[in-house]
Amino acid sequence: MLETSARLLQLLSLLQMRREWSGQELADRLEITTRTVRRDVDKLRALGYPVGASVGVGGGYRLGAGAEMPPLLLDDQEVLAVALGLDAVTTGPVSDMAEASAGALSKLRQVMPSRLRHRLDSLSLEAVPRTRGQASVSAAVLTDIAATCHRHERLRFEYRRGDGTESRREAEPYRLVRNGMRWYLVAFDLGRDDWRSFRVDRMVPKTPTGPRFAPRDLPAGGASRFLERSIGEVYRQASARVRVHAPLEVIAPMVSDAWGTIESGDESSCELTMYSTSLTSIARWLHAFDADFSVLSPDELRGELTAVADHHEHLAARYRRACGP
């Protein structure tokens, strides 16, 4: 009896995984005969599970809509993955899910076999307490935006740019994308007549939503690739060329393709182009090379270096030499 009950639970689990299984596929996975599969399916139906069946080429078994599942149909690794994921939610970019995740984890523990509870306890970790950054968003806002994406409805919202300016936007939302600790919405901005990405923590969605729309074709690469390109453009709004007076072999490992390109170099110096959101930012972290350098372009960078030198005595001499006479 115990073996039959365990097999029925495994059969239910398989039926949840795919839309349809053939009798032979189920028999192979359960290591039983197709005749036993038919008997087990009949037992599930007697217990109230709507298992449909079709005959002929391409036929098979499927679990009907509205089936009530047992409280837990996950294997050991899946249970631990869910539990650890819930435990990590409190440090994520969603601001109001700590209580819900703790409640869900508590309920999950109640239906875990003892061996899994012991494994989960052995994996328990502590996170360094910290206040949530301004980039965190509420679960309600994420849910509402995700719903408009799914229903293909226009979204109206107030948007605050990084420089503090605000505007009212109307867009055709495509998909939410998470990048690090921030959530973004990839959408077609009707006012700009182009694709845009918006930081969700800077959005204030308005209700009601607008009319439905026919989805457009997203630029090549999909939503995540578009966001990657979009963020890259933001972090390349300013550029500068400098000559660092240190060997190429020393400087090259310090330069990332994300913010710099080495153009030439030898055993005494190297030239590179650097990118960032502003010349001020470039000026502030040029000290990371821990070497003298000279500004090649633009001239405006010299003014930024002078400003940094005026406020940081330990950088003053090096930065003033970089500006030249």
Side-chain angles (χ1 to χ4, degrees):
M1 178 62 72
L2 289 176
E3 181 181 351
T4 301
S5 298
R7 193 174 66 241
L8 290 179
L9 286 175
Q10 191 176 0
L11 175 57
L12 266 177
S13 180
L14 290 173
L15 290 172
Q16 289 181 85
M17 291 171 58
R18 275 173 37 185
R19 180 177 178 83
E20 190 168 72
W21 292 83
S22 70
Q24 188 60 56
E25 288 174 326
L26 290 173
D28 293 341
R29 291 294 292 268
L30 298 171
E31 298 182 351
I32 57 178
T33 65
T34 54
R35 183 178 179 181
T36 303
V37 169
R38 289 194 295 271
R39 287 203 302 262
D40 285 351
V41 167
D42 289 338
K43 291 175 183 177
L44 289 178
R45 289 168 177 162
L47 292 171
Y49 295 99
V51 182
S54 56
V55 297
V57 178
Y61 298 98
R62 71 181 65 84
L63 192 63
E68 294 184 2
M69 294 295 99
L72 189 65
L73 279 178
L74 302 172
D75 63 28
D76 290 7
Q77 291 299 104
E78 290 170 339
V79 170
L80 291 174
V82 172
L84 291 174
L86 289 170
D87 194 44
V89 165
T90 54
T91 60
V94 183
S95 62
D96 52 0
M97 291 298 289
E99 184 176 348
S101 64
L105 182 56
S106 176
K107 295 175 182 177
L108 182 61
R109 288 178 63 89
Q110 293 176 19
V111 296
M112 279 184 181
S114 60
R115 70 178 188 281
L116 289 185
R117 285 199 299 271
H118 293 322
R119 287 185 63 187
L120 180 62
D121 291 340
S122 69
L123 290 171
S124 294
L125 305 173
E126 288 190 15
V128 176
R130 63 176 180 178
T131 57
R132 290 188 178 272
Q134 295 181 348
S136 62
V137 298
S138 71
V141 170
L142 284 177
T143 302
D144 290 344
I145 293 177
T148 61
C149 294
H150 179 71
R151 295 193 299 258
H152 304 307
E153 294 176 347
R154 288 185 182 180
L155 182 65
R156 298 178 299 111
F157 56 95
E158 302 286 344
Y159 191 68
R160 186 186 73 258
R161 292 170 55 89
D163 59 8
T165 59
E166 297 184 356
S167 60
R168 175 165 292 189
R169 316 293 273 268
E170 184 173 3
E172 296 176 353
Y174 179 78
R175 185 160 298 162
L176 286 168
V177 181
R178 179 180 166 185
N179 182 61
M181 295 296 288
R182 291 175 178 163
W183 284 96
Y184 293 83
L185 171 67
V186 174
F188 189 86
D189 190 325
L190 296 171
R192 276 67 175 176
D193 194 32
D194 199 4
W195 288 95
R196 292 287 191 273
S197 62
F198 303 96
R199 273 179 52 174
V200 176
D201 58 295
R202 294 175 177 172
M203 296 173 58
V204 181
K206 301 296 182 181
T207 54
T209 55
R212 295 182 59 120
F213 62 88
R216 303 169 188 262
D217 291 331
L218 194 71
S224 58
R225 184 71 185 98
F226 174 81
L227 178 64
E228 184 181 1
R229 292 195 300 268
S230 178
I231 294 176
E233 291 175 359
V234 170
Y235 286 97
R236 290 188 172 222
Q237 291 180 347
S239 64
R241 289 181 64 247
V242 298
R243 178 180 292 110
V244 181
H245 302 292
L248 174 64
E249 63 181 17
V250 173
I251 299 301
M254 304 171 64
V255 179
S256 168
D257 291 339
W259 54 262
T261 302
I262 294 181
E263 298 180 355
S264 62
D266 53 32
E267 67 278 0
S268 60
S269 66
C270 53
E271 293 184 10
L272 62 147
T273 300
M274 306 169 69
Y275 308 96
S276 187
T277 55
S278 66
L279 290 177
T280 302
S281 176
I282 293 176
R284 287 175 178 169
W285 50 258
L286 268 166
H287 71 89
F289 293 118
D290 195 25
D292 277 3
F293 60 92
S294 303
V295 175
L296 300 179
S297 67
D299 289 339
E300 290 79 7
L301 180 59
R302 294 184 170 86
E304 298 293 344
L305 292 171
T306 300
V308 173
D310 290 342
H311 293 86
H312 298 82
E313 293 184 4
H314 65 290
L315 298 177
R318 185 193 307 170
Y319 273 37
R320 291 194 173 102
R321 287 196 299 270
C323 293

